[in-house]
C-alpha cells in the first residue's frame, strides 16, 4: 500500500542521539499543534504541553529524571528540546489522553524530519514537591500530572532499523 501518512507511521523510530542545534520554532510549533489535535476522552482536551528549550531548565529536568532513574546520565539523550506532557486527572482517561498526544507528536516530528523519543518518569517528577513548584512557576493549572516527555531534536545519525515484528499478535475473528 502506498500512502505517505502510512509510510510515516511505519518509518518512525525512537531516536537516542541528537544534534545540539535547537529545534526551529516553526517545527516545534507544528509538533505541538499536532499534539493538541491528538484524540482524547470525550473530546475533553485536558492535556497540557510544556515545551522546554531553556538550557538551565532542561538541565534541571534531566537531573530530576536521572535521579528517579538511579543514574547520572541524561535520560533525554542530549535532545535540545523537551516537551513535557501533563494531563488533568478530572477525566479517568488522563493517562491515555497524554499517551495519545505523545504518540501523535512523535509521528509529526518524524514527518518533519525531526527525531524524538518518549521518555518516562514524568509522573514521579511532577508529583514531587520540586516538580509541583516548577508547574506552579510556569503557570500550569493545579491538578495536572505528568504522563511522559518527548525528547525532540535533529537526529545525530541514521535512524535505527526496525526490529522484526513478533508473530502471533493479531487475531482476526
Amino acid at each position: 500500500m502506498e500512502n505517505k501518512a502510512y509510510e510515516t507511521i511505519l518509518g518512525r523510530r525512537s531516536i537516542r542521539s541528537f544534534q545540539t542545534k535547537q529545534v526551529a520554532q516553526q517545527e516545534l510549533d507544528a509538533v505541538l499543534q499536532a499534539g493538541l489535535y491528538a484524540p482524547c476522552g470525550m473530546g475533553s482536551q485536558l492535556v497540557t504541553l510544556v515545551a522546554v528549550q531553556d538550557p538551565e531548565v532542561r538541565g534541571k529536568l534531566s537531573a530530576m529524571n536521572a535521579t528517579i532513574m538511579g543514574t547520572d546520565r541524561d535520560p533525554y539523550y542530549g535532545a535540545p528540546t523537551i516537551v513535557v506532557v501533563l494531563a488533568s486527572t478530572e477525566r479517568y482517561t488522563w493517562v491515555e489522553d497524554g499517551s495519545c498526544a505523545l504518540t501523535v507528536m512523535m509521528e509529526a516530528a518524524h514527518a518533519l524530519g525531526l527525531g524524538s523519543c518518549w521518555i518516562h518518569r514524568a509522573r514521579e517528577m511532577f508529583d514531587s514537591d520540586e516538580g509541583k513548584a516548577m508547574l506552579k512557576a510556569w503557570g500550569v493549572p493545579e491538578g495536572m500530572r505528568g504522563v511522559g516527555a518527548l525528547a525532540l531534536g535533529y537526529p545525530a545519525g541514521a535512524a535505527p532499523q526496525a526490529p522484526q515484528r513478533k508473530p502471533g499478535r493479531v487475531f482476526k475473528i
Side-chain angles (χ1 to χ4, degrees), residues 74-151:
D74 177 19
Y76 301 108
Y77 302 104
T81 299
I82 308 301
V83 179
V84 177
V85 177
L86 307 155
S88 170
T89 58
E90 98 183 39
R91 282 214 54 82
Y92 64 90
T93 58
W94 69 277
V95 173
E96 292 85 351
D97 295 348
S99 297
C100 282
L102 280 156
T103 301
V104 169
M105 288 190 295
M106 292 174 78
E107 297 297 340
H110 177 61
L112 295 169
L114 296 169
S116 67
C117 190
W118 182 323
I119 309 298
H120 292 282
R121 295 166 296 281
R123 188 167 315 150
E124 296 88 339
M125 289 171 65
F126 294 101
D127 280 355
S128 74
D129 290 340
E130 182 181 12
K132 288 176 184 175
M134 291 174 98
L135 295 179
K136 186 174 184 174
W138 296 340
V140 174
E142 287 187 36
M144 294 292 189
R145 295 196 63 200
V147 176
L150 189 68

Side-chain angles (χ1 to χ4, degrees), residues 18-95:
F18 295 90
Q19 297 176 30
T20 57
K21 177 183 171 186
Q22 190 53 268
V23 175
Q25 195 64 51
Q26 184 177 1
E27 292 169 327
L28 175 59
D29 290 345
V31 169
L32 295 171
Q33 183 171 14
L36 294 176
Y37 275 81
C40 55
M42 301 295 290
S44 60
Q45 299 185 41
L46 295 175
V47 171
T48 296
L49 309 174
V50 179
V52 176
Q53 292 187 308
D54 178 271
E56 186 177 324
V57 177
R58 189 230 175 268
K60 191 177 289 190
L61 293 176
S62 177
M64 287 173 69
N65 195 309
T67 298
I68 294 164
M69 198 165 81
T71 188
D72 60 357
R73 69 175 179 80
D74 177 19
Y76 301 108
Y77 302 104
T81 299
I82 308 301
V83 179
V84 177
V85 177
L86 307 155
S88 170
T89 58
E90 98 183 39
R91 282 214 54 82
Y92 64 90
T93 58
W94 69 277
V95 173

